[in-house]
Amino acid sequence: MTVTSALPTARAARVVAHRGASHEHPEHTLAAYRQAVADGADALECDVRLTADRRLVCVHDRRVERTSDGRGIVSELTYEELRALDFGAWKGAAHAGARVLLFEDLLQEALSAGRPVGLAVETKHPTRAGGRLEEELVRVLRRHGLADGRGGLVEVMSFSRGALTRMHRLAPGLPAVYLMERRLRPVRPPYATHAGPGIELVRRDPGLVGRLKAKGLSVRVWTVDEPEDVELCLDLGVDTLITNRPRAVREQVEAR
C-alpha cells in the first residue's frame, strides 16, 4: 500500500474522514484510516456494531453484502466469521484481502498517529443489541482512559435520541453529536453539544446552520465531498466537515 503524506497547517474548520479516506480505499479498513491520517484529517469517523460474540466492529450496514464477499447480518455473525470475509475486493482487485476492523484496533491506530487524531463514533440503530452497543463502547473507551472526554479526542454521534441519552448516562463527559437527515426544524436533543445535519439539508436550508449555532450547538456537516459544498459550508461558518475525500477538502480549507 502506498500512502502519501500531507501535513496540516492552521485551519478554520476541522476535517473528519468519513469511514477513513473512503473515496480511495474500502470504507472502514485500516488502509482507509491510515491514508486519512496521512492526508491530514483531524479526526476519523466510524460506525460501530456488535457481533454475535459482542465484539465491537467498524461496519456501517446491518448486513455485510455491500462491503464484503459474504452474506449475513453483522449481529448474527461472530468476529471470527466476519474476519473470514474479504472487506476490500468490492472496491477493486488492488484492495482485496482487507479484513473487518475492530473498533479497538482503530482506536489504537488513532492514538499512535504521532499527532492528535480524534475519533467520531456513530452507534448504529436500530439494532438488536440495543443499549449493549453503547455499554460496550464505553467499556472500551474506559479501558483506554477516554470515557471521560479527556483531551477531546472522542465524540459520539447518533440519529437516535435514546442512544445519546444512554451515552450521557454512561459517560457524561463525552461530547455528543445529534445527527440530522430530514428534520428541518432544529430541535436540541438531550445532552447534545453538537448538531450533525446532512449536506442536503444544508443545501435546502442554509439558514439552518445559523439557527443551530444560535442554540449553542457547534455544527458538523456530512458528507461534504464536492468543492461547491465545501465553499458553502465554509461561508456558513460550519465547524467541522465530514468527508470521504479528506486530502482534497483539507487543501480547500487551507486555501481559504
Side-chain angles (χ1 to χ4, degrees):
M1 177 187 68
T2 300
V3 175
T4 51
S5 178
L7 296 178
T9 59
R11 63 205 58 174
R14 293 169 71 241
V15 174
V16 175
H18 184 245
R19 309 177 198 171
S22 54
H23 176 68
E24 296 182 55
H25 297 275
E27 65 185 56
H28 287 129
T29 60
L30 200 54
Y33 287 114
R34 285 178 174 169
Q35 185 67 60
V37 171
D39 287 350
D42 297 292
L44 311 173
E45 187 269 349
C46 67
D47 306 286
V48 292
R49 293 182 178 274
L50 276 180
T51 65
D53 49 347
R54 297 195 60 170
R55 304 295 297 275
L56 203 60
V57 291
C58 299
V59 180
H60 177 273
D61 297 2
R62 174 175 173 267
R63 302 185 63 91
V64 300
E65 280 84 346
R66 180 178 66 86
T67 55
S68 84
D69 60 352
R71 297 184 59 81
I73 298 170
V74 174
S75 62
E76 294 180 355
L77 297 170
T78 66
Y79 172 60
E80 289 304 319
E81 288 172 328
L82 287 167
R83 278 277 303 167
L85 305 180
D86 187 335
F87 277 82
W90 66 274
K91 192 80 167 178
H95 302 288
R99 299 304 167 194
V100 70
L101 184 61
L102 282 172
F103 171 72
E104 193 156 11
D105 289 343
L106 174 59
L107 178 58
Q108 293 281 15
E109 195 72 22
L111 292 174
S112 63
R115 61 178 176 86
V117 174
L119 285 177
V121 186
E122 181 184 347
T123 58
K124 298 303 292 183
H125 289 279
T127 174
R128 67 184 62 194
R132 288 178 295 146
L133 179 56
E134 284 76 29
E135 291 171 1
E136 180 61 18
L137 174 59
V138 171
R139 189 185 70 80
V140 172
L141 293 176
R142 189 171 288 132
R143 188 160 64 237
H144 291 270
L146 296 171
D148 60 357
R150 177 174 59 88
L153 288 178
V154 179
E155 59 188 40
V156 292
M157 308 188 297
S158 185
F159 290 97
S160 166
R161 293 166 64 94
L164 293 181
T165 301
R166 280 193 297 274
M167 284 300 303
H168 180 77
R169 175 176 54 81
L170 294 165
L174 286 177
V177 183
Y178 181 41
L179 297 173
M180 306 163 63
E181 188 169 18
R182 298 182 180 88
R183 183 185 294 276
L184 291 174
R185 181 171 60 90
V187 176
R188 181 166 189 157
Y191 317 121
T193 49
H194 313 285
I199 186 60
E200 291 185 5
L201 264 181
V202 174
R203 288 191 203 120
R204 291 202 306 268
D205 182 11
L208 176 65
V209 172
R211 297 197 302 274
L212 290 167
K213 284 179 166 285
K215 289 179 174 287
L217 296 162
S218 68
V219 179
R220 285 113 164 85
V221 178
W222 55 274
T223 304
V224 186
D225 288 343
E226 301 305 320
E228 57 270 27
D229 288 333
V230 175
E231 290 299 316
L232 173 63
C233 289
L234 295 178
D235 288 343
L236 294 172
V238 168
D239 303 287
T240 296
L241 309 179
I242 302 175
T243 178
N244 297 314
R245 302 170 181 257
R247 172 181 286 273
V249 173
R250 166 89 285 130
E251 291 173 352
Q252 192 170 350
V253 168
E254 290 174 356
R256 291 273 294 234

